[in-house]
Amino acid sequence: MSDTRATAEPTEPAETTEPTETTGITEPAEPAGTVTAPTAAPHSPSAPGRRSGKVSPRGRRAATLAAGVLVLLALPFYVSSFWLQTGLFAMAAVIGAIGLNLLSGTTGQLSLGHAFFLAVGAYGYVWLASEPSGTGYGSRYGLGLPPVLAFVLAIVLAGAAGGLFSPISGRLRGMYLGIATLALVFLGHHMMLNAPQVTGGFNGRSVPPLDILGFSFTDTSPDGLTVIGVPFGGLERLWYVGLALVAVAWLAAHNLLRGRPGRALGAVRDSEVAAAVMGVHLTRYRASAFIISSMYAGAAGALLALVFKRVVPDHFGLLLSIDYLAMIVIGGLGSVGGAACGAVFVALIPHLLTKYADDLPLLTAPGTTGSGVSPGDAARYLYGTAIVLVLIFAPGGLAGLARRRPRGKGDDSPRTRRFPLRNRTTPKEHTP
């Protein structure tokens, strides 16, 4: 057997190697006479691991989001007033549900008094923006502020109401806190009925329209406004105000949860003892969560008042608080997107059932007599069924179901966690 090493001609190793132009790192010289397998170019189609022609999950999400935004912006040009009004109700519900989710889903403070803070925002806007009128028992108080300023101050007023209640919420936990917040609903309803100079009493008060620098969000001023040949009335104009408010509420909650305050709120929910050991000020964060949630509710209430054009006490009863709890449970506790999806589901169902009551079995149209179920009751039956199904089969709600989607073959992106607190990075390996 011949020795190949003996027959190979000895070659002199390279004396020096020049550093590469791009990195400046000296590459070791390969011994002469060795055969190396050809390597694929980094950008060649045969390079392993390259996903040619595929869009990353982040790119798909961005494209989906952009398409959704474009559809929402174009809806006033194609849909009727009924759908615009229903969509505005859903937007108000989304804002309020995000706020309640920050309080109950992220911080773990049960609240049954969300309707009270919505009422504070709605009546606060009416009182701040209305001009005083009438005399005697029929007099109505008002400050006559510019509507935009009144809208902002109504949100602040709702936050102040939440701040006044925060010392009580800091002392109570669980069911006891829920019962204490439930008292706010009854107390607020009593005040709405017995303070007619401010709230209008049982008949309520008309809502001043929103006005920005002379541009009114009603059918007038400017009268006969058309955009690309489409008449733009009050609902069309208010639609974009609702979209802007939803975007601000969404981004603010998302940034809050992704930052240090969000992790602290999650720590308060998981274990107050552990949070205190880590240096989280429990009282401060619990109060902050209540104030922020109340401000969200105030914005939702003010927007709801602008859509209703007249606020009455029956709009802000206990059933409204239960609806908001259903929104965050169905959507998913602790998730901004889940709260929004749950709010849209709960807000749309009654309006859809009312519109199509004549075509659906077992339903009785509003204002008619029959043996069927009213659309409002049918909607609550659906909520109850959805809540039971979610609690049994999908505790994470709609947001949890979205995370269970099957991953594609090339989808190697890390899965998002349910709460920001648990979104930890992989621990580094110990190197001596």
Side-chain angles (χ1 to χ4, degrees):
M1 179 180 294
S2 62
D3 190 354
T4 57
R5 290 176 296 182
T7 57
E9 293 294 331
T11 57
E12 296 181 357
E15 295 179 355
T16 59
T17 56
E18 297 294 334
T20 59
E21 296 180 357
T22 55
T23 61
I25 299 175
T26 303
E27 297 180 354
E30 295 181 355
T34 58
V35 179
T36 57
T39 57
H43 299 289
S44 65
S46 59
R50 184 175 184 272
R51 290 171 286 176
S52 59
K54 291 185 177 180
V55 182
S56 64
R58 180 174 296 180
R60 287 196 296 269
R61 287 194 296 269
T64 304
L65 178 62
V69 171
L70 289 177
V71 170
L72 290 175
L73 292 175
L75 279 180
F77 294 93
Y78 298 101
V79 300
S80 63
S81 299
F82 169 80
W83 294 109
L84 290 179
Q85 190 179 43
T86 304
L88 285 168
F89 286 137
M91 291 180 193
V94 167
I95 297 172
I98 291 175
L100 183 60
N101 211 7
L102 291 175
L103 179 66
S104 299
T106 304
T107 317
Q109 299 184 77
L110 177 61
S111 175
L112 295 174
H114 213 55
F116 170 78
F117 298 106
L118 270 89
V120 172
Y123 280 102
Y125 172 77
V126 174
W127 173 61
L128 292 168
S130 298
E131 296 287 347
S133 62
T135 57
Y137 184 79
S139 62
R140 298 291 180 264
Y141 298 157
L143 299 183
L145 298 177
V148 176
L149 180 60
F151 195 97
V152 176
L153 291 180
I155 298 174
V156 176
L157 188 63
L164 291 176
F165 188 77
S166 60
I168 301 175
S169 66
R171 294 173 177 270
L172 301 175
R173 303 289 186 276
M175 184 183 299
Y176 299 100
L177 178 59
I179 294 174
T181 55
L182 182 62
L184 289 176
V185 178
F186 299 118
L187 180 62
H189 197 264
H190 177 78
M191 294 174 62
M192 285 184 274
L193 291 176
N194 294 278
Q197 285 79 14
V198 177
T199 63
F202 179 80
N203 295 322
R205 293 188 67 171
S206 59
V207 179
L210 188 63
D211 184 281
I212 299 178
L213 300 177
F215 184 84
S216 176
F217 289 83
T218 60
D219 297 335
T220 59
S221 183
D223 191 11
L225 175 65
T226 59
V227 179
I228 317 180
V230 177
F232 255 53
L235 290 176
E236 285 82 1
R237 304 175 194 183
L238 205 57
W239 176 268
Y240 294 102
V241 176
L243 284 181
L245 290 175
V246 169
V248 172
W250 185 301
L251 292 177
H254 187 270
N255 292 332
L256 176 67
L257 292 179
R258 291 294 177 184
R260 185 176 180 180
R263 292 191 291 273
L265 295 176
V268 173
R269 177 205 58 224
D270 292 339
S271 174
E272 292 188 354
V273 176
V277 170
M278 289 188 293
V280 176
H281 198 294
L282 298 179
T283 304
R284 181 188 305 167
Y285 276 97
R286 287 173 65 90
S288 300
F290 225 101
I291 294 173
I292 294 173
S293 175
S294 303
M295 294 178 72
Y296 271 83
L303 179 60
L304 206 60
L306 290 172
V307 181
F308 274 129
K309 299 181 180 178
R310 188 173 189 84
V311 288
V312 296
D314 289 345
H315 288 162
F316 308 99
L318 178 60
L319 290 179
L320 184 62
S321 292
I322 296 175
D323 287 346
Y324 272 92
L325 281 180
M327 293 174 192
I328 63 173
V329 172
I330 293 174
L333 298 174
S335 169
V336 177
C341 293
V344 171
F345 174 77
V346 174
L348 291 185
I349 288 297
H351 297 278
L352 295 179
L353 293 179
T354 302
K355 183 175 179 61
Y356 298 106
D358 294 333
D359 302 326
L360 295 175
L362 304 178
L363 287 184
T364 302
T368 61
T369 58
S371 58
V373 181
S374 66
D377 293 337
R380 288 189 170 81
Y381 295 156
L382 288 177
Y383 303 162
T385 305
I387 290 175
V388 172
L389 293 177
V390 163
L391 292 179
I392 294 177
F393 298 106
L398 298 177
L401 291 177
R403 296 189 189 100
R404 291 182 186 177
R405 68 186 187 279
R407 311 181 88 185
K409 186 178 293 184
D411 187 1
D412 54 353
S413 61
R415 289 185 180 275
T416 56
R417 299 286 183 177
R418 182 180 178 184
F419 300 112
L421 180 66
R422 300 175 183 175
N423 192 12
R424 302 188 179 99
T425 56
T426 305
K428 296 181 180 179
E429 295 182 357
H430 175 70
T431 54

